[in-house]
Amino acid sequence: MCGRTSCHLPLEALTRACAYRDRQGRQQLPEWRDPDRYYPSYNKSPRSSTPVLLSRRHLEKGADSSERIIAPMRWGLVPSWFKEADPSKLQFNTTNCRSDTIMEKRSFKVPLSKGRRCVVLADGFYEWQRHPGTYQKQPYFIYFPQIKTEKSGSMGAADNPEDWEKVWDNWRLLTMAGIFDCWDPPEGGDCLYSYTIITVESCQGLNDIHHRMPAILDGEEAVSKWLDFGEVSAQEALKLIHPTENIAFHPVSTVVNNFRNDTPECLLPADLLVKKEFKPSGSSQKMLQWLATKSPKKEDPKTPKKADSYRRAQAPSKEAVQDSWSDG
């Protein structure tokens, strides 16, 4: 399952990390919608706002379905048919959507039939391993393996505005398959876009941590096919939904247990905090360098000032956080 993520890159860096090639083979950057609603965080939980990729055609009729938009959406799908005025009163958990029942539940089947497929962006996600015979759980951070290159050794190589459109060569974002929907408040107001993360059985490498994992789209081709609902049918797209072994993970501090804790310590390898003799893996070493030199600064003037107020308004209730641990 997936009930907590990290997505801490500043807006401009996140945009560059999502560079892609359109149907004509031209390199493009996704265009933002509602950028003032995005806030970087090391500890995102259900009901918070998370950046997702979707096809431009969802928002602009007649647009090329291979072109991409990046937009913050509420985590936890609110079905378009929901009649209550308050989305928090939804009586069932839509944080995750099981791949084996996706065509059986109206909340997911309807938007999927409309091509409302999205890609949820994150540095990685957190999962908790239960210790046998106890109530204690050990959190882990799970992400794509990171390959250190000559360029990525210099983390400041693309800091200048004139370099923003160059190929991203730093942390590889985790790309998870999702479904979104648009809910119109019965009393009027702006449409609320929200999403759910599709989950599958865990790969062999994660089985000891949890029996389910998010459906990860590994590679540009998989991401393109999942998003391009104009050319790829739902039936074909669902063939992309399966476990992947191409992941890395390490234990992290229990500081991440509280969603209000939003610091780099959430995803640092826990052994580094307590054992001097611990030797991090290649991916962990790159993470440490990345956090030390590429981590966003809170005083970054390009980070929207509205983020804090929006975050407080969207903060999940205690019940929502507890619900997120149900089997997805």
Side-chain angles (χ1 to χ4, degrees):
M1 59 162 295
C2 181
R4 205 79 66 83
T5 66
S6 169
C7 188
H8 88 282
L9 288 178
L11 187 144
E12 294 88 354
L14 183 66
T15 307
R16 287 179 283 137
C18 294
Y20 69 100
R21 293 192 181 278
D22 62 18
R23 209 184 306 283
Q24 288 71 42
R26 299 170 300 191
Q27 185 168 306
Q28 303 279 4
L29 293 179
E31 180 182 323
W32 274 88
R33 295 296 169 92
D34 298 326
D36 58 327
R37 293 179 56 194
Y38 170 64
Y39 64 90
S41 173
Y42 294 96
N43 199 349
K44 286 186 174 290
S45 55
R47 298 193 189 182
S48 65
S49 180
T50 308
V52 306
L53 292 173
L54 65 155
S55 168
R56 181 184 292 275
R57 188 180 292 183
H58 287 299
L59 304 179
E60 299 177 16
K61 292 183 178 180
D64 186 338
S65 58
S66 72
E67 294 184 1
R68 303 177 188 177
I69 295 292
I70 183 170
M73 290 190 187
R74 178 191 190 270
W75 185 3
L77 187 145
V78 180
S80 58
W81 46 262
F82 184 61
K83 301 301 182 182
E84 296 283 349
D86 183 358
S88 67
K89 292 183 178 180
L90 190 65
Q91 295 298 307
F92 47 92
N93 183 11
T94 57
T95 299
N96 296 155
C97 164
R98 293 179 63 103
S99 60
D100 51 344
T101 59
I102 196 170
M103 299 303 293
E104 300 173 7
K105 297 184 177 180
R106 181 186 176 196
S107 299
F108 308 132
K109 181 179 179 180
V110 172
L112 181 62
S113 68
K114 295 179 180 179
R116 292 180 173 176
R117 308 192 298 257
C118 64
V119 173
V120 183
L121 303 171
D123 310 321
F125 71 99
Y126 300 99
E127 192 54 84
W128 279 256
Q129 179 186 49
R130 185 182 296 276
H131 293 298
T134 73
Y135 291 102
Q136 295 181 339
K137 293 183 178 182
Q138 171 60 55
Y140 284 81
F141 185 59
I142 304 166
Y143 49 97
F144 271 137
Q146 304 298 311
I147 300 174
K148 185 174 181 179
T149 66
E150 184 177 350
K151 288 183 179 179
S152 62
S154 177
M155 292 297 188
D159 282 345
N160 296 324
E162 57 267 24
D163 295 326
W164 285 352
E165 293 189 10
K166 293 184 179 180
V167 175
W168 178 254
D169 194 41
N170 284 292
W171 190 262
R172 182 188 176 192
L173 292 175
L174 196 68
T175 43
M176 299 174 283
I179 300 171
F180 73 93
D181 210 347
C182 181
W183 174 74
D184 291 305
E187 299 177 356
D190 294 336
C191 172
L192 173 66
Y193 283 89
S194 59
Y195 72 89
T196 184
I197 296 176
I198 300 174
T199 65
V200 295
E201 291 185 0
S202 278
C203 63
Q204 184 176 357
L206 290 181
N207 259 333
D208 289 342
I209 298 177
H210 199 277
H211 65 283
R212 297 195 69 80
M213 67 182 293
I216 296 171
L217 300 167
D218 189 2
E220 176 58 23
E221 182 179 0
V223 170
S224 294
K225 287 182 176 180
W226 183 253
L227 292 176
D228 194 352
F229 72 101
E231 296 292 329
V232 182
S233 68
Q235 184 178 8
E236 285 298 310
L238 287 175
K239 294 179 181 179
L240 301 167
I241 304 303
H242 51 73
T244 177
E245 294 286 349
N246 187 31
I247 47 89
F249 57 90
H250 58 250
V252 294
S253 167
T254 54
V255 71
V256 74
N257 291 2
N258 187 332
F259 71 90
R260 294 181 177 85
N261 294 331
D262 181 10
T263 66
E265 186 180 355
C266 289
L267 45 71
L268 282 176
D271 300 83
L272 292 181
L273 304 176
V274 298
K275 297 180 181 178
K276 292 184 179 179
E277 69 274 14
F278 176 76
K279 295 182 179 181
S281 66
S283 289
S284 295
Q285 286 177 331
K286 184 170 182 182
M287 171 180 287
L288 292 174
Q289 183 184 25
W290 177 57
L291 289 171
T293 62
K294 199 64 181 176
S295 179
K297 297 179 174 61
K298 296 297 183 182
E299 67 274 17
D300 186 351
K302 296 183 183 295
T303 300
K305 294 182 178 179
K306 294 182 180 179
D308 289 340
S309 61
Y310 179 81
R311 184 178 183 182
R312 287 193 293 271
Q314 294 294 320
S317 65
K318 179 179 179 181
E319 291 77 10
V321 175
Q322 292 173 336
D323 286 345
S324 71
W325 309 132
S326 63
D327 289 346

